[in-house]
Amino acid sequence: MTRPDAVVIVGESIAGLTAARELRNRGYAGSLTMIGREPDGAYARPPLSKEVLRDAKKEAHLAYPHADLDLAHVRSAAVELGTSSRIVTTADGRFVPYDALLIATGADARRLARPAQTGELVLRTLADARLIRRRIERARSAIVVGAGFLGLEVASACVARGVEVTVVDSESPLLRHLGPFMSGHVGAHLTRHGVRLIQAARRVHLVGDPVTGVALPDGGVLSADLVVTCAGDVPAVTWLSGTGLAGSWGVAIDERCSTSIPGVYAAGDVAYLTPGTGERASRAPFWSNAVAQGKVAAASILGEPRPHPPKDDYFWTEILGLPIKVVGPLPLHGDPVSIEGDVDEGDAILRWESPGAARTVVAYGRKIPVGRLRTMTNPSGPR
Ligand SMILES: Cc1cc2nc3c(=O)[nH]c(=O)nc-3n(C[C@H](O)[C@H](O)[C@H](O)COP(=O)(O)OP(=O)(O)OC[C@H]3O[C@@H](n4cnc5c(N)ncnc54)[C@H](O)[C@@H]3O)c2cc1C
């Protein structure tokens, strides 16, 4: 395979920039164009909910460095992809040709508002975080729709500012990913810190225009000064319409991050690994996964062997001062083995294992290097 002369990356964030750096590290000296639609350029999203909602000064540390990568930047959204012509069209009317293309457009926040309903707040971008922070500063009460990681981090930021918070979901906190054991402990932790948890029988609806609250399935209505929707994300694929590359799950990739079209690769939150027989398609929209896939995609673009599998199932969160780190496959079922500490004290290392399946290890309330946590998932490691 010959090396491409022109590589274009659409999506200026961690998957795209990791691929760009890996291409340069592997000696690629050709043209490298980065198409991004955000005025703030490339920055880390995880601190948005953990730090930036609480403190504007934390914005100073978000930017991903890239001055050394010799990138040609196009700051405009990609609006169309011609897979036969090998051209990306941007909103400002440019036509950007490529030999190899990396789709790294990530995801957008899932919205619950009706089409014309205004005022829904979501958290995906730095601009979103700035807006929510300003609203938190003026609020006395908040409703967070969604008891996943993001929703609980937003709730934590509200509590830190003295705002009374209600979290509404049809499931208990973190249940979908971390299972009933962890959900119970995290729920108790939230309640101890004054967060009101409401488990609705079904999906809730936003009320007001602009949004002022939520309607519960039982007919009740909750209102607050601030309502934030944290109801998951949807792959950013509208610009791929007509290419056959994307469906509602995003862009399917193989173990080399190749798509179904030669010369087109995908990585990060926009992509999902083609499932094996009998498996369900699912994305893993986490930061470490985006890094792993960015590196694999770069190697594949250059026709080189992949450095490691195109996935990394590590992620972390912090809920009301409680750090949680997870390494291993999700979702979790059943009860864990306690390796160290005491989960009731909010300081433990827990392991889930089942015959023939990879282990998952959780550091609950304990700051521990991720490398150490990874060794604990090893079947020949400590028991
Ligand atoms: C608030 C928040 C907190 C998070 N916390 C954690 C955490 O603690 N741990 C963890 O593991 N993960 C966390 N995540 C998830 C993590 O940030 C994502 O998995 C990661 O950012 C994915 O990287 P990506 O490069 O694939 O996509 P993204 O970061 O979504 O970047 C995609 C980029 O492409 C741009 N784009 C989209 N469409 C177009 C287009 N048509 N043309 C040009 N550009 C386009 C977008 O604007 C964006 O800049 C968090 C996410 C959020 C929002």
Side-chain angles (χ1 to χ4, degrees), residues 286-302:
F286 295 118
W287 191 90
S288 302
N289 206 49
V291 170
Q293 292 182 356
K295 289 184 181 171
V296 170
S300 300
I301 287 170
L302 299 178

Side-chain angles (χ1 to χ4, degrees), residues 132-148:
I132 295 173
R133 185 180 65 227
R134 283 199 295 274
R135 293 286 302 276
I136 290 176
E137 282 163 4
R138 285 183 280 136
R140 278 185 302 174
S141 60
I143 296 169
V144 177
V145 183

Side-chain angles (χ1 to χ4, degrees), residues 13-15 37-38 45 50 78 105-106 124 269 285-287 316:
S13 187
I14 187 63
R37 68 178 178 184
E38 288 194 52
R45 285 177 213 285
K50 297 167 191 69
T105 42
R124 183 75 200 179
D269 282 11
F286 295 118
W287 191 90
W316 72 99

Side-chain angles (χ1 to χ4, degrees), residues 346-358:
D347 173 25
I349 298 183
L350 307 162
R351 185 168 62 212
W352 278 255
E353 47 195 13
S354 52

